[in-house]
Amino acid sequence: QVQPVESGGGLVQAGDSLRLSCTASTRTFSNINVGWFRQAPGKERDFVATITWSGAETVYADSVKGRFTISRDKAENTVSLQMNSLKPEDTAVYYCAATTGGPLDRESTYEYWGQGTQVTVSS
């Protein structure tokens, strides 16, 4: 079993940067693909970015492409989401999720989910 845990959320101003981290409890992220999703108030949970176990493949939602970067640090058993040029529209609860399958941009693919971390971007 995998229990992802998110951290790094907070309150920032538009244009600032923030780095989220996802770590696994119970077991390592080895051989597991990891994705980030977010849910804004009153809206559905949306795909943000994903990375394969090797870190060689990444996919981003159009809304964050060019601003967000997902990466994996195997030594620290961590997957990070670097968020630059943040906008108020990025305000949401961000979730880390893990799966052994695909396709990686679909929410239904992921079996294990964290509790989420709040990101708030003010103007």
Side-chain angles (χ1 to χ4, degrees), residues 31-75:
N31 302 312
I32 296 178
N33 306 312
V34 175
W36 284 95
F37 295 78
R38 67 185 182 184
Q39 186 169 27
K43 297 186 177 181
E44 298 179 345
R45 186 159 59 189
D46 295 324
F47 167 76
V48 176
T50 188
I51 189 168
T52 59
W53 172 80
S54 68
E57 298 181 41
T58 58
V59 181
Y60 298 92
D62 290 340
S63 59
V64 306
K65 194 174 300 181
R67 298 188 297 121
F68 291 11
T69 302
I70 188 171
S71 61
R72 182 189 294 267
D73 186 337
K74 293 185 177 63

Side-chain angles (χ1 to χ4, degrees), residues 4-11 18-23 36-41 45 48 79-81 83 90-97 113-121:
V5 179
E6 307 94 338
S7 64
L11 174 63
L18 199 61
R19 187 177 182 87
L20 305 182
S21 295
C22 176
T23 59
W36 284 95
F37 295 78
R38 67 185 182 184
Q39 186 169 27
R45 186 159 59 189
V48 176
V79 172
S80 298
L81 184 69
M83 305 183 294
D90 296 318
T91 295
V93 176
Y94 284 71
Y95 297 90
C96 177
W113 292 81
Q115 293 298 310
T117 185
Q118 177 70 47
V119 172
T120 302
V121 184

